[in-house]
Amino acid sequence: MIPAAFDYVRPATLDEAVQALASAGEDAKVLAGGQSLLPLLRLRLAAPTVLVDLGGIADLRGVRDDGDALRIGAMTTHATVLADPLVAEHAPLLAKATATVADRQVRHLGTFGGSLAHADPAGDLPAVALALDATMEIAGPDGRRSVPAAEFFVDFLTSAVGPGEVLTAVRVPKYPGFTAHYEKFNRTAQSWALVGVAALARRDGGTIAEARVALTNMGPTPVRAAGVEAALAGASADEAGVAAAAARAGEGTSPTADLSASVEYRAHLVRVLTERAVLGALGLVGAGRGAHAA
Ligand SMILES: Cc1cc2nc3c(=O)[nH]c(=O)nc-3n(C[C@H](O)[C@H](O)[C@H](O)COP(=O)(O)OP(=O)(O)OC[C@H]3O[C@@H](n4cnc5c(N)ncnc54)[C@H](O)[C@@H]3O)c2cc1C
């Protein structure tokens, strides 16, 4: 279908973008890579009167070393994130999850910030941001503010980015001593996650000193698997220890049913995938088996 008519603005600076959004009013929308927004416009599920394209603002792109964190511009594409050596070194969980996002074409246009602002529960990167305790930097008519990932994902397709605001960058802390894995189950290659699990773990000899685990598509927002994390702390770094902790993966989740999976199937998947993700993070055998073995 052809989208409803809209005006198009392509500012060269962030200040111009914020001004353009302010003068366009509530029915304006930010355009990033367009990979989620354009389908919505074509289906007429969204009909903004003005699109403010961030593609001309060079300051919103790129990955920078910021001491104990990386600062990733919101308009940095998935492909750039994937190829970036700083991300590979300091945020391997983000690199692993980004590699599972869609296909090359989508990764070439879609952006890290767009994925987070869109807040799709099936998107892979919100759970990664939650597991990593990333901080979102937002600019708007009232100035700038920072929002931790734990408060950023408000509801289904709803983030803390308000009308007239722009997500400008994401601060991703480094986790020295941790290893990471993202485990995703989808029906066909390159499609969305039925369930996904982002895991980081730090070993101390034969035990797990600390783990951070977050879940994709187990509710309207990504969910931190607090029960699993508590059970993993001090557990033995082996299959039995991880399996016992993964049994708590469903705690605090509220999965829904759709054409691809029932609630019960998602509850099963999250346990299996949590076990695989944590074993994968620990570098133990058993992780990353064929997705369709679940
Ligand atoms: C075929 C296909 C398969 C896909 N598969 C996956 C997948 O497996 N996993 C996955 O995670 N994703 C998947 N995606 C989505 C992809 O990751 C998109 O890139 C992402 O969801 C949106 O990013 P975007 O830059 O394209 O944002 P856009 O589509 O331009 O925008 C999406 C929404 O976010 C808002 N927005 C975007 N950027 C900002 C900003 N900086 N500040 C404020 N608001 C902003 C827009 O106004 C809009 O409401 C898929 C997409 C397609 C088309």
Side-chain angles (χ1 to χ4, degrees):
M1 259 188 353
I2 297 171
F6 55 83
D7 287 332
Y8 172 83
V9 193
R10 189 175 162 94
T13 66
L14 178 60
D15 285 349
E16 284 172 29
V18 171
Q19 271 168 26
L21 286 168
S23 52
E26 268 195 11
D27 290 331
K29 259 208 168 297
V30 163
L31 174 67
Q35 296 305 289
S36 296
L37 184 54
L38 291 190
L40 292 177
L41 298 187
R42 288 187 152 186
L43 292 168
R44 300 211 176 193
L45 293 172
T49 50
V50 180
L51 275 191
V52 179
D53 183 353
L54 303 181
I57 308 174
D59 289 352
L60 297 183
R61 293 185 193 276
V63 180
R64 205 179 73 199
D65 197 324
D66 202 16
D68 57 359
L70 299 181
R71 189 169 177 281
I72 304 180
M75 286 296 288
T76 308
T77 64
H78 300 312
T80 301
V81 166
L82 208 44
D84 191 275
L86 287 172
V87 173
E89 182 179 353
H90 298 296
L93 178 62
L94 175 59
K96 287 181 181 184
T98 302
T100 75
V101 170
D103 52 35
R104 278 177 191 270
Q105 288 93 327
V106 172
R107 292 198 295 268
H108 189 68
L109 291 166
T111 64
F112 183 36
S115 291
L116 301 179
H118 191 51
D120 190 326
D124 296 292
L125 305 181
V128 170
L130 193 62
L132 293 171
D133 250 334
T135 302
M136 321 306 173
E137 297 178 5
I138 298 172
D142 300 327
R144 302 194 177 216
R145 62 193 181 105
S146 296
V147 179
E151 293 165 23
F152 184 79
F153 303 103
V154 176
D155 203 346
F156 180 77
L157 296 181
T158 308
S159 75
V161 180
E165 290 189 318
V166 174
L167 175 63
T168 56
V170 184
R171 210 167 175 277
V172 178
K174 298 174 184 173
Y175 285 87
F178 281 75
T179 46
H181 188 70
Y182 185 71
E183 188 76 23
K184 169 173 176 172
F185 186 85
N186 46 12
R187 286 185 60 183
T188 55
Q190 304 175 345
S191 63
W192 297 86
L194 292 191
V195 175
V197 181
L200 283 168
R202 184 168 60 79
R203 288 175 79 136
D204 184 5
T207 56
I208 300 167
E210 193 183 343
R212 309 176 69 90
V213 181
L215 312 174
T216 298
N217 220 359
M218 286 299 291
T221 63
V223 185
R224 189 91 178 261
V228 176
E229 293 178 354
L232 285 172
S236 55
D238 57 25
E239 294 207 10
V242 173
R248 298 183 60 180
E251 289 177 13
T253 64
S254 47
T256 51
D258 56 26
L259 280 178
S260 303
S262 63
V263 168
E264 293 74 21
Y265 186 49
R266 282 203 160 88
H268 163 75
L269 275 179
V270 80
R271 184 184 54 72
V272 174
L273 300 181
T274 297
E275 191 177 333
R276 289 183 191 173
V278 176
L279 288 172
L282 293 168
L284 296 175
V285 187
R289 283 172 293 188
H292 294 277

